[in-house]
Amino acid sequence: MPTVKRDYYEVLGIEQNALEEDVKKAFRKLAFQYHPDRNKESDAEDRFKEINEAYEILSDPEKRATYDRFGHAGLSGNGRGFEGFDGFAGFGDIFDAFFGGTSARTRNAPQQGRDLRVALDISFEEAVFGVEKEIEVGKSMVCSKCRGARSEPGSKPVQCAACQGTGEVRRVQQSIFGQFVNVATCATCRGEGQRIISPCTQCRGMGREHLSKKVVVNIPGGVDDGTQIRLTGEGDAGARGGPPGNLYVELTVHPHAYFRREEDNIIYPLRLNVAQAALGVALDVPTVDGAAEVRIPAGTQSGAVYRLKGKGVPHLRGTGRGDQLVRVSVDVPNQLTEEQKRLFAELAKTFSPDGEPAGAGDDKSFFEKIKDALG
């Protein structure tokens, strides 16, 4: 009596309107649960085949539409169940895609080398204007003797006799459900399909050797603390002819003695005494380009900011530069000489008790009186 197939949606435990992602999640969970390598229950193999058959139909939009309309009868030419598979070997591609397995073809494919990361310290000025640095990096490189072939020059690998060069060993098992083929990685050649008879004496058959290499890093002007610079192809060498990885250089910018950076502007704190702030003064202040004059007008208060255009950091992704912002702080003296006390006493007489300058109607301005009081 023929076996009655269960509804595919029932097999996966999902609703008929389930989304494609729901189908995949249900399959992943059940296939992992009932895979014969993990589940030793008597019905695990049967359930495993049933789950795969349901997924094969419901994951294909055309087959699913046919099944939804005509049921199992509509799939007589499409739904092969497990009959069209070579045991678990036919299921390998699907299971590997979900659970990270690798076929012999994937294992032997070229692989890109590992990315490397190094830290590099630079000064504030080097970050502003850019600099060229030479660093030494330890990394794996293609063996200079065997050129990555892993065999001693003049020798060649031979085909693995255990797997006949396939990298896989198939074991046939017979059960009441039919014949199953269990596919495993060849233990003799570790899935490579070939064996090294005479390993390279320099790299010991690895095809790569660990060496130190000097690398030049061109740092553009405008970089900041934490900036990463990628050097393509300067990472570890790839395996089996694969491309090398990349080298990432992470910059640490040392703080400056008195400059501070805000985006692409440079902040410089300027301290003035009360006379300079009251009377005004022209001073040379340092910039990353050298000294520049800044004119402080009379009556400047603490917190005032004066801008030196184009004296800041170059724009990393554009043209031009930021500005230097001179931020003023006025120092009030806490120790005075006798002469200074006398002068400040004379100055105090020019103010009214509420702090406003006395004689507002006088011909002399407030700042002229300060000049007179200070001699």
Side-chain angles (χ1 to χ4, degrees), residues 2-22:
T3 303
V4 178
K5 291 186 177 182
R6 287 202 298 158
D7 178 73
Y8 288 144
Y9 293 101
E10 179 185 345
V11 172
L12 296 183
I14 56 177
E15 299 293 332
Q16 188 169 353
N17 60 352
L19 300 175
E20 181 180 353
E21 186 63 28
D22 298 328

Side-chain angles (χ1 to χ4, degrees), residues 111-132:
Q111 294 182 358
Q112 183 172 7
R114 185 169 57 100
D115 290 338
L116 300 178
R117 298 181 184 276
V118 296
L120 178 60
D121 294 347
I122 60 174
S123 68
F124 186 90
E125 289 85 354
E126 287 173 337
V128 171
F129 294 112
V131 67
E132 184 180 278

